[in-house]
PDB file of all heavy atoms in Angstrom:
ATOM      1  N   ASP A 554      16.664 179.563 151.603  1.00 82.00           N
ATOM      2  CA  ASP A 554      16.191 180.743 152.260  1.00 82.00           C
ATOM      3  C   ASP A 554      15.253 181.578 151.459  1.00 82.00           C
ATOM      4  O   ASP A 554      14.221 182.070 151.907  1.00 82.00           O
ATOM      5  CB  ASP A 554      17.448 181.641 152.713  1.00 82.00           C
ATOM      6  CG  ASP A 554      17.018 182.886 153.474  1.00 82.00           C
ATOM      7  OD1 ASP A 554      16.410 182.743 154.534  1.00 82.00           O
ATOM      8  OD2 ASP A 554      17.328 183.978 152.925  1.00 82.00           O
ATOM      9  N   ILE A 555      15.660 181.747 150.219  1.00 82.00           N
ATOM     10  CA  ILE A 555      14.775 182.520 149.290  1.00 82.00           C
ATOM     11  C   ILE A 555      13.486 181.868 149.033  1.00 82.00           C
ATOM     12  O   ILE A 555      12.401 182.566 149.029  1.00 82.00           O
ATOM     13  CB  ILE A 555      15.506 182.793 147.958  1.00 82.00           C
ATOM     14  CG1 ILE A 555      16.749 183.710 148.160  1.00 82.00           C
ATOM     15  CG2 ILE A 555      14.559 183.400 146.866  1.00 82.00           C
ATOM     16  CD1 ILE A 555      17.590 183.906 146.918  1.00 82.00           C
ATOM     17  N   THR A 556      13.549 180.504 148.847  1.00 82.00           N
ATOM     18  CA  THR A 556      12.281 179.775 148.735  1.00 82.00           C
ATOM     19  C   THR A 556      11.408 179.888 149.898  1.00 82.00           C
ATOM     20  O   THR A 556      10.140 180.054 149.809  1.00 82.00           O
ATOM     21  CB  THR A 556      12.566 178.256 148.429  1.00 82.00           C
ATOM     22  OG1 THR A 556      13.439 178.146 147.274  1.00 82.00           O
ATOM     23  CG2 THR A 556      11.290 177.508 148.213  1.00 82.00           C
ATOM     24  N   THR A 557      11.974 179.754 151.074  1.00 84.00           N
ATOM     25  CA  THR A 557      11.196 179.919 152.335  1.00 84.00           C
ATOM     26  C   THR A 557      10.579 181.304 152.428  1.00 84.00           C
ATOM     27  O   THR A 557       9.337 181.521 152.771  1.00 84.00           O
ATOM     28  CB  THR A 557      12.037 179.612 153.533  1.00 84.00           C
ATOM     29  OG1 THR A 557      12.646 178.268 153.407  1.00 84.00           O
ATOM     30  CG2 THR A 557      11.265 179.700 154.886  1.00 84.00           C
ATOM     31  N   ARG A 558      11.297 182.286 152.150  1.00 81.00           N
ATOM     32  CA  ARG A 558      10.861 183.612 152.210  1.00 81.00           C
ATOM     33  C   ARG A 558       9.769 183.846 151.154  1.00 81.00           C
ATOM     34  O   ARG A 558       8.836 184.648 151.337  1.00 81.00           O
ATOM     35  CB  ARG A 558      11.994 184.644 152.011  1.00 81.00           C
ATOM     36  CG  ARG A 558      12.987 184.558 153.211  1.00 81.00           C
ATOM     37  CD  ARG A 558      14.244 185.435 152.988  1.00 81.00           C
ATOM     38  NE  ARG A 558      13.884 186.795 152.789  1.00 81.00           N
ATOM     39  CZ  ARG A 558      14.747 187.794 152.488  1.00 81.00           C
ATOM     40  NH1 ARG A 558      16.020 187.417 152.135  1.00 81.00           N
ATOM     41  NH2 ARG A 558      14.366 189.026 152.353  1.00 81.00           N
ATOM     42  N   ARG A 559       9.992 183.206 149.951  1.00 79.00           N
ATOM     43  CA  ARG A 559       8.943 183.407 148.886  1.00 79.00           C
ATOM     44  C   ARG A 559       7.678 182.728 149.374  1.00 79.00           C
ATOM     45  O   ARG A 559       6.558 183.343 149.200  1.00 79.00           O
ATOM     46  CB  ARG A 559       9.454 182.731 147.675  1.00 79.00           C
ATOM     47  CG  ARG A 559       8.497 182.975 146.479  1.00 79.00           C
ATOM     48  CD  ARG A 559       8.807 181.957 145.407  1.00 79.00           C
ATOM     49  NE  ARG A 559       8.566 180.618 145.873  1.00 79.00           N
ATOM     50  CZ  ARG A 559       8.783 179.509 145.209  1.00 79.00           C
ATOM     51  NH1 ARG A 559       9.302 179.540 144.020  1.00 79.00           N
ATOM     52  NH2 ARG A 559       8.533 178.307 145.765  1.00 79.00           N
ATOM     53  N   ASP A 560       7.795 181.547 149.909  1.00 80.00           N
ATOM     54  CA  ASP A 560       6.548 180.794 150.389  1.00 80.00           C
ATOM     55  C   ASP A 560       5.886 181.605 151.502  1.00 80.00           C
ATOM     56  O   ASP A 560       4.659 181.507 151.637  1.00 80.00           O
ATOM     57  CB  ASP A 560       6.979 179.439 150.857  1.00 80.00           C
ATOM     58  CG  ASP A 560       7.390 178.545 149.693  1.00 80.00           C
ATOM     59  OD1 ASP A 560       7.164 178.835 148.472  1.00 80.00           O
ATOM     60  OD2 ASP A 560       8.097 177.532 149.943  1.00 80.00           O
ATOM     61  N   ASN A 561       6.706 182.318 152.257  1.00 82.00           N
ATOM     62  CA  ASN A 561       6.096 183.099 153.321  1.00 82.00           C
ATOM     63  C   ASN A 561       5.512 184.459 152.836  1.00 82.00           C
ATOM     64  O   ASN A 561       4.970 185.197 153.567  1.00 82.00           O
ATOM     65  CB  ASN A 561       7.113 183.372 154.406  1.00 82.00           C
ATOM     66  CG  ASN A 561       7.533 182.087 155.180  1.00 82.00           C
ATOM     67  OD1 ASN A 561       6.726 181.188 155.263  1.00 82.00           O
ATOM     68  ND2 ASN A 561       8.708 182.127 155.636  1.00 82.00           N
ATOM     69  N   GLY A 562       5.619 184.714 151.504  1.00 75.00           N
ATOM     70  CA  GLY A 562       5.023 185.887 150.938  1.00 75.00           C
ATOM     71  C   GLY A 562       5.814 187.209 151.101  1.00 75.00           C
ATOM     72  O   GLY A 562       5.265 188.271 150.946  1.00 75.00           O
ATOM     73  N   GLU A 563       7.074 187.029 151.460  1.00 76.00           N
ATOM     74  CA  GLU A 563       7.878 188.184 151.681  1.00 76.00           C
ATOM     75  C   GLU A 563       8.124 188.932 150.371  1.00 76.00           C
ATOM     76  O   GLU A 563       8.326 190.166 150.355  1.00 76.00           O
ATOM     77  CB  GLU A 563       9.235 187.860 152.286  1.00 76.00           C
ATOM     78  CG  GLU A 563       9.103 187.348 153.752  1.00 76.00           C
ATOM     79  CD  GLU A 563      10.441 187.229 154.323  1.00 76.00           C
ATOM     80  OE1 GLU A 563      11.460 187.619 153.746  1.00 76.00           O
ATOM     81  OE2 GLU A 563      10.562 186.536 155.505  1.00 76.00           O
ATOM     82  N   PHE A 564       8.080 188.272 149.219  1.00 70.00           N
ATOM     83  CA  PHE A 564       8.343 188.902 147.901  1.00 70.00           C
ATOM     84  C   PHE A 564       7.018 189.144 147.154  1.00 70.00           C
ATOM     85  O   PHE A 564       7.087 189.597 145.975  1.00 70.00           O
ATOM     86  CB  PHE A 564       9.300 188.060 147.105  1.00 70.00           C
ATOM     87  CG  PHE A 564      10.586 187.793 147.765  1.00 70.00           C
ATOM     88  CD1 PHE A 564      10.891 186.490 148.316  1.00 70.00           C
ATOM     89  CD2 PHE A 564      11.527 188.749 147.996  1.00 70.00           C
ATOM     90  CE1 PHE A 564      12.059 186.246 148.917  1.00 70.00           C
ATOM     91  CE2 PHE A 564      12.672 188.524 148.661  1.00 70.00           C
ATOM     92  CZ  PHE A 564      13.030 187.268 149.135  1.00 70.00           C
ATOM     93  N   THR A 565       5.832 188.947 147.726  1.00 69.00           N
ATOM     94  CA  THR A 565       4.592 189.086 147.025  1.00 69.00           C
ATOM     95  C   THR A 565       3.942 190.446 147.370  1.00 69.00           C
ATOM     96  O   THR A 565       3.648 190.651 148.564  1.00 69.00           O
ATOM     97  CB  THR A 565       3.608 187.956 147.297  1.00 69.00           C
ATOM     98  OG1 THR A 565       4.369 186.710 146.906  1.00 69.00           O
ATOM     99  CG2 THR A 565       2.338 188.086 146.543  1.00 69.00           C
ATOM    100  N   GLY A 566       3.710 191.363 146.452  1.00 64.00           N
ATOM    101  CA  GLY A 566       2.995 192.681 146.704  1.00 64.00           C
ATOM    102  C   GLY A 566       1.518 192.606 146.392  1.00 64.00           C
ATOM    103  O   GLY A 566       1.016 191.605 145.982  1.00 64.00           O
ATOM    104  N   LEU A 567       0.857 193.680 146.509  1.00 63.00           N
ATOM    105  CA  LEU A 567      -0.602 193.777 146.222  1.00 63.00           C
ATOM    106  C   LEU A 567      -0.793 193.769 144.723  1.00 63.00           C
ATOM    107  O   LEU A 567      -0.027 194.384 143.974  1.00 63.00           O
ATOM    108  CB  LEU A 567      -1.167 195.102 146.766  1.00 63.00           C
ATOM    109  CG  LEU A 567      -1.109 195.295 148.309  1.00 63.00           C
ATOM    110  CD1 LEU A 567      -1.669 196.667 148.708  1.00 63.00           C
ATOM    111  CD2 LEU A 567      -1.990 194.232 149.023  1.00 63.00           C
ATOM    112  N   GLN A 568      -1.755 193.013 144.256  1.00 64.00           N
ATOM    113  CA  GLN A 568      -2.070 192.864 142.859  1.00 64.00           C
ATOM    114  C   GLN A 568      -2.843 194.031 142.332  1.00 64.00           C
ATOM    115  O   GLN A 568      -3.815 194.424 142.938  1.00 64.00           O
ATOM    116  CB  GLN A 568      -2.891 191.553 142.542  1.00 64.00           C
ATOM    117  CG  GLN A 568      -3.085 191.297 141.103  1.00 64.00           C
ATOM    118  CD  GLN A 568      -3.770 189.981 140.913  1.00 64.00           C
ATOM    119  OE1 GLN A 568      -4.073 189.294 141.896  1.00 64.00           O
ATOM    120  NE2 GLN A 568      -4.060 189.631 139.652  1.00 64.00           N
ATOM    121  N   GLY A 569      -2.369 194.655 141.257  1.00 66.00           N
ATOM    122  CA  GLY A 569      -2.981 195.812 140.640  1.00 66.00           C
ATOM    123  C   GLY A 569      -4.082 195.481 139.726  1.00 66.00           C
ATOM    124  O   GLY A 569      -4.226 194.245 139.386  1.00 66.00           O
TER     125      GLY A 569
END
Side-chain angles (χ1 to χ4, degrees):
D554 179 64
I555 293 173
T556 303
T557 301
R558 291 174 63 186
R559 184 199 62 184
D560 292 343
N561 291 334
E563 292 185 10
F564 302 108
T565 303
L567 296 176
Q568 184 175 1

